[in-house]
């Protein structure tokens, strides 16, 4: 599973995926805003129910406070007197004043007396302009109800004062019959003004959705839905409301359930409210509170923002995760690539090495072959010289012998023949020398006294030294030193080394060769030019020589090396720090033999 992610989620794909997630989140957020808003509207409506109930209670209390008043005031005899003598000016004056004081005491806006025709005889506001005195209210429902002996309540628009009034009326009886009606008017401005300071507005509407009270004076007597013709007629008849002022409040409502609505009022400016309502059954009214939707909308937006931010954060997290995955995958690919490159490089290098090794082997073979050839060349050069010179001499001696024989000079001929014989001997000795080198006959080795062999070798060379003027300085050991070897062959080695030393000092007038035996080691030191660095590698090769033709075959060191090797010892060449070459023969020590051999 993670593998497929790695393979398919390229950087671009991740961006597309994240972009669509973000778009989806934003679209989903925008789409869910209305329902989120509704949730907060409902919450607002719920919060509004408690203050609404409280307001309804205080309205009820305010209205019912005045209910018993008209009946109590109607009991006064003076009112019956006035109804009996309506033209008694002094009595009217007394009643007017009495009513005025009563109204002040009970904080009613008006208390007034009507006769049975509905004409107002006296009123608490008798002194004020626009007083009811003289006006007829027989068309009003409360009047009719009071005449019937009922206690009434009626909401009405005070056509004279332009304010809303709430009226209670009671019949005035003279003991046997109803002679008039007493009405108390109070206004609910105070109640409305209490609401004006509140956060939300309120409305009290009747069964026709006609606004009776409101904390907003401009909503007074406006209808929340079109009034039917029948309703209009009733209103026009009893002048309950100012029919000319009734107009429609442009209101659109969406139900939120539970007596709650989201309403928009588009009067001057558009306003949006959460409206929660309460029935006031006893008056057939509905009381509603209208809270601005702004806080709820803000809440919805805040919640949405929080959800969106959370979602975006999660998306950002996802994006980071995916990018990390992508980077890891890229890293893996890079690492794999680097590994592949490395492996290829290693393979290439290995192939190169293999090729180099093969080349080396071939070169080595070539070198061996070349070495063989050069050895052969060196050998043939040396041999041809060694043999050509005596052969040429033999030819000369033979020609001479023939000439002398033709002249019967036997003695001369014999002399030449003897020379021929010597030459042949010399060639034979060269040939033996060569055969020995080639075959290296396995002669037995055994314990021998090293210092004795060295002494013999020096004795052999004394002849040559006497002629050349050179000298050997020999430092023998104390007592005999027993080593493994063959007497003649070891002597041949030491002679070779001393001869080479003398050759190296050829240009010196009185050359000295130092020969030392220390332990199982013989050292031969000269004061010549020393061993040439270029030569040191080939010195022990057969037929290698730096000497001029006729002087050396290049076999001395090669043969010596092999002899010492056969004895289980070693032949080491070096240069002395004070100049000249040092050749050392190190031999195997051995136990002394009873009878000295050879
Ligand atoms: P040859 O004496 O016939 O040349 P060797 O095998 O004895 O053959 O010596 C090989 C070469 O080693 C000599 O040609 C010389 O170059 C070098 N060599 C041997 N001994 C000495 C020495 N004592 N000092 C300097 N060079 C030496």
């Amino acid at each position: 599973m993670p593998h497929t992610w790695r393979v398919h989620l390229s950087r671009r794909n991740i961006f597309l995926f994240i972009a669509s997630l973000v778009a989806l989140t934003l679209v989903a957020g925008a789409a869910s805003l209305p329902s989120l808003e509704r949730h907060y509207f409902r919450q607002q409506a719920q919060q509004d129910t408690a203050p609404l109930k409280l307001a309804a209670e205080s309205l009820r209390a305010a209205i019912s406070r005045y209910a018993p008043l008209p009946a109590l005031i109607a009991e006064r005899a003076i009112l019956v007197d006035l109804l009996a003598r309506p033209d008694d000016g002094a009595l009217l004056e007394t009643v007017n004043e009495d009513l005025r004081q009563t109204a002040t005491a009970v904080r009613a806006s008006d208390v007034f007396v009507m006769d049975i025709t509905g004409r107002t005889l006296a009123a608490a506001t008798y002194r004020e302009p626009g007083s009811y005195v003289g006006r007829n209210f027989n068309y009003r429902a409360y009047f009719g109800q009071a005449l019937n002996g009922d206690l009434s309540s009626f909401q009405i628009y005070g056509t004279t004062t332009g304010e809303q009034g709430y009226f209670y009326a009671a019949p005035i009886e003279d003991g046997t019959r109803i002679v008039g009606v007493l009405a108390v008017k109070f206004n609910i401005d105070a109640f409305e003004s209490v609401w004006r300071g509140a956060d939300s507005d309120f409305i009290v509407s009747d069964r026709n959705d006609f606004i009776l009270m409101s904390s907003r004076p401009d909503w007074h007597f406006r209808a929340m839905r079109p009034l039917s013709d029948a309703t209009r007629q009733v209103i026009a008849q009893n002048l309950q409301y100012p029919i000319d002022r009734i107009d429609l409040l442009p209101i659109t409502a969406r139900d939120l359930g539970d007596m709650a609505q989201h309403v928009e009022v588009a009067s001057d400016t558009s306003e949006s409210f959460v409206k929660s309502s309460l029935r006031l059954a006893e008056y057939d009214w509905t009381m509603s509170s209208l809270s601005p939707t702004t806080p709820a909308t803000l809440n919805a937006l805040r919640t949405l923002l929080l959800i969106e931010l959370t979602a975006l954060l999660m998306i950002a997290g996802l994006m980071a995760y995916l990018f990390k995955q992508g980077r890891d995958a890229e890293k893996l690919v890079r690492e794999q690539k680097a590994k592949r490159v490395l492996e290829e490089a290693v393979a290439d290098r290995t192939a190169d090495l293999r090729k180099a090794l093969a080349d080396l082997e071939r070169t080595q073979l070539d070198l061996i072959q070349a070495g063989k050839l050069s050895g052969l060349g060196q050998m043939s050069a040396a041999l041809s010289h060694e043999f050509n010179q005596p052969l040429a001499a033999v030819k000369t001696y033979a020609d001479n012998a023939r000439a002398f024989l033709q002249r019967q000079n036997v003695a001369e001929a014999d002399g030449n023949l003897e020379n021929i014989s010597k030459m042949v001997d010399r060639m034979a000795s060269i040939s033996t020398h060569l055969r020995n080198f080639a075959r290296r006959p396995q002669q037995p080795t055994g314990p021998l006294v090293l210092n004795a062999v060295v002494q013999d070798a020096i004795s052999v060379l004394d002849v040559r030294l006497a002629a050349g003027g050179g000298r050997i300085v020999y430092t023998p050991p104390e007592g005999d030193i027993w080593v493994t070897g063959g007497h003649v062959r070891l002597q041949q080695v030491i002679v070779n080394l001393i001869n080479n030393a003398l050759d190296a000092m050829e240009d010196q007038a009185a050359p000295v060769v130092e020969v030392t035996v220390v332990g199982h080691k013989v050292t031969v030191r000269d004061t010549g030019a020393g061993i040439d660095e270029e030569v040191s590698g080939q010195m022990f090769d057969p037929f290698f020589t730096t000497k001029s033709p006729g002087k050396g075959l290049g076999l001395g060191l090669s043969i010596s090396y092999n002899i010492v090797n056969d004895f289980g010892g070693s032949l080491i060449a070096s240069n002395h720090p004070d100049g000249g070459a040092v050749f050392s023969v190190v031999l195997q020590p051995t136990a002394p033999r009873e009878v000295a051999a050879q």
Side-chain angles (χ1 to χ4, degrees):
M1 201 334 248
H3 188 67
T4 40
W5 277 93
R6 275 186 192 129
V7 169
H8 298 302
L9 278 186
S10 69
R11 199 165 279 263
R12 190 170 158 274
N13 281 348
I14 292 173
F15 269 125
L16 281 177
F17 177 60
I18 294 299
S20 35
L21 264 189
V22 169
L24 200 74
T25 309
L26 295 180
V27 168
S32 63
L33 183 60
S35 59
L36 203 62
E37 230 179 4
R38 277 174 68 83
H39 166 79
Y40 282 103
F41 288 168
R42 261 190 224 113
Q43 204 176 55
Q44 180 66 50
Q46 206 123 41
Q47 283 169 9
D48 286 344
T49 45
L52 182 62
K53 268 183 190 149
L54 218 65
E57 276 320 302
S58 73
L59 179 63
R60 271 196 188 103
I63 291 170
S64 57
R65 219 175 102 206
Y66 296 99
L69 271 181
L72 279 176
I73 300 169
E75 295 283 300
R76 295 185 184 169
I78 194 168
L79 300 182
V80 182
D81 289 349
L82 181 68
L83 286 165
R85 292 177 278 129
D87 301 323
D88 184 336
L91 184 60
L92 180 64
E93 181 70 17
T94 311
V95 173
N96 272 336
E97 191 51 29
D98 184 42
L99 292 180
R100 192 186 65 80
Q101 280 168 15
T102 305
T104 309
V106 301
R107 289 203 206 102
S109 58
D110 208 352
V111 179
F112 55 100
V113 180
M114 288 164 281
D115 64 18
I116 44 167
T117 67
R119 191 169 63 94
T120 307
L121 299 181
T125 56
Y126 70 103
R127 284 194 288 205
E128 290 164 27
S131 156
Y132 288 164
V133 177
R135 290 185 56 187
N136 196 305
F137 293 115
N138 65 358
Y139 53 90
R140 284 187 172 165
Y142 63 83
F143 177 76
Q145 282 168 356
L147 272 189
N148 281 338
D150 295 337
L151 195 69
S152 70
S153 65
F154 205 60
Q155 175 72 32
I156 201 158
Y157 178 71
T159 45
T160 320
T161 56
E163 66 180 14
Q164 308 134 281
Y166 194 82
F167 294 82
Y168 279 114
I172 303 171
E173 293 167 68
D174 67 353
T176 51
R177 56 194 180 95
I178 293 170
V179 290
V181 170
L182 183 117
V184 177
K185 176 199 172 195
F186 62 93
N187 64 46
I188 40 181
D189 280 356
F191 176 78
E192 285 181 332
S193 60
V194 165
W195 273 70
R196 264 166 217 152
D199 290 338
S200 38
D201 287 310
F202 89 97
I203 283 173
V204 178
S205 53
D206 71 4
R207 83 175 85 82
N208 297 313
D209 282 341
F210 185 83
I211 300 172
L212 310 174
M213 295 177 227
S214 172
S215 54
R216 299 271 292 260
D218 54 319
W219 290 351
H220 286 158
F221 305 115
R222 295 184 75 171
M224 290 187 283
R225 62 178 157 89
L227 297 177
S228 68
D229 285 347
T231 311
R232 276 181 173 277
Q233 230 164 356
V234 170
I235 293 170
Q237 225 164 50
N238 61 24
L239 297 179
Q240 188 184 357
Y241 308 125
I243 199 80
D244 52 326
R245 282 184 61 177
I246 292 174
D247 77 62
L248 200 62
L249 189 65
I251 192 166
T252 49
R254 271 184 297 269
D255 221 1
L256 296 172
D258 266 351
M259 298 283 285
Q261 283 179 321
H262 171 219
V263 298
E264 269 163 329
V265 182
S267 43
D268 295 338
T269 54
S270 179
E271 288 175 282
S272 174
F273 299 100
V274 172
K275 176 182 166 201
S276 26
S277 303
L278 193 73
R279 288 282 302 151
L280 300 174
E282 66 268 49
Y283 310 113
D284 203 9
W285 291 345
T286 302
M287 188 170 185
S288 310
S289 78
L290 285 96
S291 311
T293 53
T294 322
T297 304
L298 282 179
N299 269 340
L301 279 173
R302 204 176 297 133
T303 305
L304 186 67
L305 204 70
L306 212 74
I307 293 171
E308 293 276 292
L309 277 179
T310 310
L312 288 177
L313 251 157
M314 281 164 73
I315 292 172
L318 183 67
M319 185 164 83
Y321 171 76
L322 290 179
F323 272 132
K324 194 186 170 307
Q325 289 278 321
R327 271 201 306 280
D328 285 355
E330 276 170 22
K331 198 175 146 207
L332 198 77
V333 167
R334 267 204 307 278
E335 280 172 0
Q336 278 172 350
K337 201 173 148 197
K339 205 175 134 198
R340 233 183 1 258
V341 167
L342 194 70
E343 279 171 353
E344 278 165 13
V346 168
D348 283 357
R349 212 44 54 81
T350 310
D352 286 353
L353 278 176
R354 232 176 246 137
K355 192 170 163 293
L357 202 67
D359 286 353
L360 193 68
E361 275 168 5
R362 208 171 36 249
T363 310
Q364 222 166 24
L365 287 174
D366 289 352
L367 275 177
I368 289 168
Q369 194 60 29
K372 276 181 190 165
L373 288 174
S374 89
L376 201 63
Q378 284 168 354
M379 183 181 74
S380 28
L383 288 184
S384 64
H385 180 83
E386 285 304 307
F387 287 107
N388 276 345
Q389 202 232 340
L391 277 174
V394 166
K395 170 112 173 80
T396 310
Y397 291 134
D399 289 348
N400 288 348
R402 277 182 68 197
F404 285 125
L405 281 177
Q406 274 166 11
R407 281 183 244 146
Q408 305 293 315
N409 191 344
V410 176
E412 285 296 331
D414 185 56
N416 277 299
L417 287 172
E418 199 189 319
N419 282 339
I420 288 174
S421 176
K422 273 187 195 157
M423 286 296 139
V424 170
D425 282 348
R426 186 177 151 193
M427 285 192 285
S429 104
I430 292 172
S431 161
T432 309
H433 200 56
L434 280 174
R435 201 178 57 234
N436 282 347
F437 166 72
R439 292 230 196 107
R440 269 173 46 208
Q442 282 300 308
Q443 290 156 357
T445 58
L448 46 84
V449 178
L450 179 58
N451 41 314
V453 178
V454 173
Q455 192 58 64
D456 284 356
I458 291 170
S459 307
V460 168
L461 285 162
D462 271 344
V463 187
R464 175 180 171 181
L465 284 171
R471 173 162 84 84
I472 294 172
V473 177
Y474 173 47
T475 312
E478 288 174 18
D480 290 344
I481 293 195
W482 289 87
V483 294
T484 302
H487 190 105
V488 176
R489 284 175 289 160
L490 184 53
Q491 187 182 317
Q492 190 189 342
V493 168
I494 290 158
V495 168
N496 268 339
L497 295 180
I498 295 172
N499 270 330
N500 277 345
L502 291 169
D503 286 347
M505 297 184 288
E506 215 173 24
D507 50 349
Q508 295 183 14
V512 176
V513 180
E514 277 178 35
V515 180
T516 318
V517 175
V518 178
H520 309 95
K521 184 164 84 172
V522 187
T523 312
V524 178
R525 187 200 158 189
D526 62 59
T527 54
I531 301 155
D532 214 329
E533 213 174 302
E534 283 177 14
V535 164
S536 63
Q538 295 165 280
M539 212 163 46
F540 294 101
D541 291 349
F543 301 106
F544 175 82
T545 180
T546 56
K547 293 165 192 170
S548 51
K551 283 251 171 91
L553 259 179
L555 286 175
L557 283 182
S558 170
I559 290 169
S560 301
Y561 185 89
N562 285 321
I563 289 171
V564 176
N565 226 32
D566 286 345
F567 296 163
S570 49
L571 173 57
I572 303 154
S574 62
N575 280 323
H576 196 275
D578 298 336
V582 182
F583 283 85
S584 304
V585 179
V586 185
L587 294 156
Q588 294 285 337
T590 187
R593 202 194 295 185
E594 286 302 309
V595 185
Q598 296 171 36

